[in-house]
């Protein structure tokens, strides 16, 4: 019977070097993708809900549309299977996120239930949407989680859409969970913001 090959010292060093490079160089960029350091590190609405997160990512995207044109897409997000504009196969039971603005929904208000077990924490039209869930079981950890969307005017027209994801994970595996989820959230947030930008700008044409 052939012996199973063991990783060589060179392979182990290469893996350790790649992990160190990710942690030191790539990870800090993922945590604030497309976001100025002053925004990524600045307190935002809803930070007080989870005061000491062990996972936080902040991203931003410039949208060539006023806040009033972006808000309807945020306002219907995660409600009555309208979708979250990301990973529809996972978070929306395979139903594509809405490609049009629904006019039959009331404005989101604090306390409203959302798809996936979330609920609205704060809603200020054309300004702030904050939702979250608490004591959620996620395979190797239990988490409290919040998702924040803030609309701010750009200096030369249009709007900044800023998103911040914060979580506090409980349990012995919480640090491993956070490290594994950071790149997942980073890519998902990037996709979601890009879709919201495309939809908002299309509605202006």
């Amino acid at each position: 019977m052939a012996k199973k090959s063991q990783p060589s010292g060179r392979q182990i060093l290469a893996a350790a070097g790649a992990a160190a490079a990710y942690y030191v160089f790539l990870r800090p960029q993922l945590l604030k993708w497309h976001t100025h350091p002053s925004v990524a590190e600045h307190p935002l609405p809803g930070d007080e809900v989870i005061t000491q997160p062990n996972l936080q990512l902040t991203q931003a995207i410039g949208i060539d549309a006023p806040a009033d044109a972006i808000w309807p897409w945020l306002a219907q997000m995660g409600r009555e299977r309208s979708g979250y504009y990301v990973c529809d196969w996972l978070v929306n039971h395979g139903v594509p996120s809405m490609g049009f603005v629904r006019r039959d929904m009331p404005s989101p208000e604090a306390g409203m239930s959302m798809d996936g077990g979330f609920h609205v924490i704060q809603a200020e039209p054309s300004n702030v949407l904050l939702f979250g869930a608490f004591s959620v079981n996620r395979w190797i950890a239990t988490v409290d989680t919040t998702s924040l969307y803030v609309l701010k005017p750009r200096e030369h027209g249009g709007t900044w859409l800023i998103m911040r994801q914060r979580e506090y994970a409980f349990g012995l595996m919480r640090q491993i969970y956070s490290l594994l989820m950071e790149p997942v959230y980073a890519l998902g947030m990037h996709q979601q913001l890009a879709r919201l930008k495309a939809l908002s700008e299309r509605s202006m044409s």
Side-chain angles (χ1 to χ4, degrees), residues 27 29 62 64 70 87 90 110 128 175 183 188:
R27 179 174 177 267
Q29 302 308 313
D64 294 324
I70 304 167
C87 297
L90 178 63
V128 174
Q175 295 299 334

PDB file of all heavy atoms in Angstrom, residues 27 29 62 64 70 87 90 110 128 175 183 188:
ATOM      1  N   ARG A  27      -6.309  41.242   4.387  1.00  0.00           N
ATOM      2  CA  ARG A  27      -7.433  41.352   5.320  1.00  0.00           C
ATOM      3  C   ARG A  27      -7.789  42.800   5.663  1.00  0.00           C
ATOM      4  O   ARG A  27      -8.967  43.162   5.623  1.00  0.00           O
ATOM      5  CB  ARG A  27      -7.141  40.553   6.590  1.00  0.00           C
ATOM      6  CG  ARG A  27      -8.253  40.613   7.636  1.00  0.00           C
ATOM      7  CD  ARG A  27      -7.946  39.685   8.795  1.00  0.00           C
ATOM      8  NE  ARG A  27      -8.965  39.796   9.826  1.00  0.00           N
ATOM      9  CZ  ARG A  27      -8.874  40.603  10.874  1.00  0.00           C
ATOM     10  NH1 ARG A  27      -7.798  41.387  11.029  1.00  0.00           N
ATOM     11  NH2 ARG A  27      -9.845  40.649  11.777  1.00  0.00           N
ATOM     12  N   GLN A  29      -7.582  45.394   3.904  1.00  0.00           N
ATOM     13  CA  GLN A  29      -8.257  46.002   2.756  1.00  0.00           C
ATOM     14  C   GLN A  29      -9.674  45.469   2.600  1.00  0.00           C
ATOM     15  O   GLN A  29     -10.596  46.209   2.232  1.00  0.00           O
ATOM     16  CB  GLN A  29      -7.445  45.742   1.483  1.00  0.00           C
ATOM     17  CG  GLN A  29      -6.021  46.269   1.534  1.00  0.00           C
ATOM     18  CD  GLN A  29      -5.955  47.731   1.939  1.00  0.00           C
ATOM     19  OE1 GLN A  29      -6.695  48.559   1.409  1.00  0.00           O
ATOM     20  NE2 GLN A  29      -5.078  48.056   2.880  1.00  0.00           N
ATOM     21  N   GLY A  62     -20.050  54.926  -4.748  1.00  0.00           N
ATOM     22  CA  GLY A  62     -20.647  56.150  -5.255  1.00  0.00           C
ATOM     23  C   GLY A  62     -21.718  55.833  -6.282  1.00  0.00           C
ATOM     24  O   GLY A  62     -21.489  55.026  -7.194  1.00  0.00           O
ATOM     25  N   ASP A  64     -24.554  57.503  -8.990  1.00  0.00           N
ATOM     26  CA  ASP A  64     -24.972  58.704  -9.720  1.00  0.00           C
ATOM     27  C   ASP A  64     -26.489  58.827  -9.695  1.00  0.00           C
ATOM     28  O   ASP A  64     -27.185  58.710 -10.721  1.00  0.00           O
ATOM     29  CB  ASP A  64     -24.446  58.649 -11.155  1.00  0.00           C
ATOM     30  CG  ASP A  64     -22.924  58.716 -11.209  1.00  0.00           C
ATOM     31  OD1 ASP A  64     -22.327  59.436 -10.390  1.00  0.00           O
ATOM     32  OD2 ASP A  64     -22.341  58.040 -12.076  1.00  0.00           O
ATOM     33  N   ILE A  70     -32.426  56.078  -4.475  1.00  0.00           N
ATOM     34  CA  ILE A  70     -31.798  54.862  -3.949  1.00  0.00           C
ATOM     35  C   ILE A  70     -32.636  54.247  -2.835  1.00  0.00           C
ATOM     36  O   ILE A  70     -32.741  53.028  -2.711  1.00  0.00           O
ATOM     37  CB  ILE A  70     -30.377  55.184  -3.423  1.00  0.00           C
ATOM     38  CG1 ILE A  70     -29.536  55.822  -4.519  1.00  0.00           C
ATOM     39  CG2 ILE A  70     -29.700  53.928  -2.892  1.00  0.00           C
ATOM     40  CD1 ILE A  70     -28.242  56.449  -4.027  1.00  0.00           C
ATOM     41  N   CYS A  87     -26.674  36.744  -3.340  1.00  0.00           N
ATOM     42  CA  CYS A  87     -26.828  35.319  -2.987  1.00  0.00           C
ATOM     43  C   CYS A  87     -28.292  34.898  -2.905  1.00  0.00           C
ATOM     44  O   CYS A  87     -28.727  34.299  -1.918  1.00  0.00           O
ATOM     45  CB  CYS A  87     -26.127  35.017  -1.660  1.00  0.00           C
ATOM     46  SG  CYS A  87     -24.347  35.257  -1.684  1.00  0.00           S
ATOM     47  N   LEU A  90     -29.273  31.487  -1.801  1.00  0.00           N
ATOM     48  CA  LEU A  90     -29.120  31.132  -0.390  1.00  0.00           C
ATOM     49  C   LEU A  90     -30.092  31.889   0.511  1.00  0.00           C
ATOM     50  O   LEU A  90     -30.775  31.285   1.347  1.00  0.00           O
ATOM     51  CB  LEU A  90     -27.681  31.415   0.059  1.00  0.00           C
ATOM     52  CG  LEU A  90     -27.351  31.146   1.528  1.00  0.00           C
ATOM     53  CD1 LEU A  90     -27.521  29.657   1.840  1.00  0.00           C
ATOM     54  CD2 LEU A  90     -25.929  31.598   1.845  1.00  0.00           C
ATOM     55  N   ALA A 110     -39.142  50.617  12.573  1.00  0.00           N
ATOM     56  CA  ALA A 110     -38.492  49.832  13.617  1.00  0.00           C
ATOM     57  C   ALA A 110     -39.444  48.770  14.150  1.00  0.00           C
ATOM     58  O   ALA A 110     -40.617  49.041  14.418  1.00  0.00           O
ATOM     59  CB  ALA A 110     -38.029  50.752  14.742  1.00  0.00           C
ATOM     60  N   VAL A 128     -31.055  56.383   6.539  1.00  0.00           N
ATOM     61  CA  VAL A 128     -30.492  55.252   7.286  1.00  0.00           C
ATOM     62  C   VAL A 128     -31.452  54.070   7.274  1.00  0.00           C
ATOM     63  O   VAL A 128     -32.651  54.225   7.498  1.00  0.00           O
ATOM     64  CB  VAL A 128     -30.212  55.641   8.760  1.00  0.00           C
ATOM     65  CG1 VAL A 128     -29.775  54.412   9.567  1.00  0.00           C
ATOM     66  CG2 VAL A 128     -29.152  56.723   8.837  1.00  0.00           C
ATOM     67  N   GLN A 175     -13.560  33.183  17.102  1.00  0.00           N
ATOM     68  CA  GLN A 175     -12.512  33.825  16.324  1.00  0.00           C
ATOM     69  C   GLN A 175     -12.331  33.163  14.970  1.00  0.00           C
ATOM     70  O   GLN A 175     -12.131  33.835  13.958  1.00  0.00           O
ATOM     71  CB  GLN A 175     -11.192  33.824  17.114  1.00  0.00           C
ATOM     72  CG  GLN A 175     -11.232  34.653  18.384  1.00  0.00           C
ATOM     73  CD  GLN A 175     -11.526  36.115  18.121  1.00  0.00           C
ATOM     74  OE1 GLN A 175     -11.247  36.637  17.044  1.00  0.00           O
ATOM     75  NE2 GLN A 175     -12.119  36.795  19.092  1.00  0.00           N
ATOM     76  N   PRO A 183     -13.966  37.259   4.536  1.00  0.00           N
ATOM     77  CA  PRO A 183     -13.930  37.334   3.069  1.00  0.00           C
ATOM     78  C   PRO A 183     -15.279  37.038   2.430  1.00  0.00           C
ATOM     79  O   PRO A 183     -15.599  37.584   1.369  1.00  0.00           O
ATOM     80  CB  PRO A 183     -12.881  36.281   2.678  1.00  0.00           C
ATOM     81  CG  PRO A 183     -12.775  35.374   3.851  1.00  0.00           C
ATOM     82  CD  PRO A 183     -13.057  36.212   5.051  1.00  0.00           C
ATOM     83  N   GLY A 188     -19.708  39.437  -0.623  1.00  0.00           N
ATOM     84  CA  GLY A 188     -21.149  39.621  -0.701  1.00  0.00           C
ATOM     85  C   GLY A 188     -21.551  41.087  -0.668  1.00  0.00           C
ATOM     86  O   GLY A 188     -22.429  41.523  -1.423  1.00  0.00           O
TER      87      GLY A 188
END
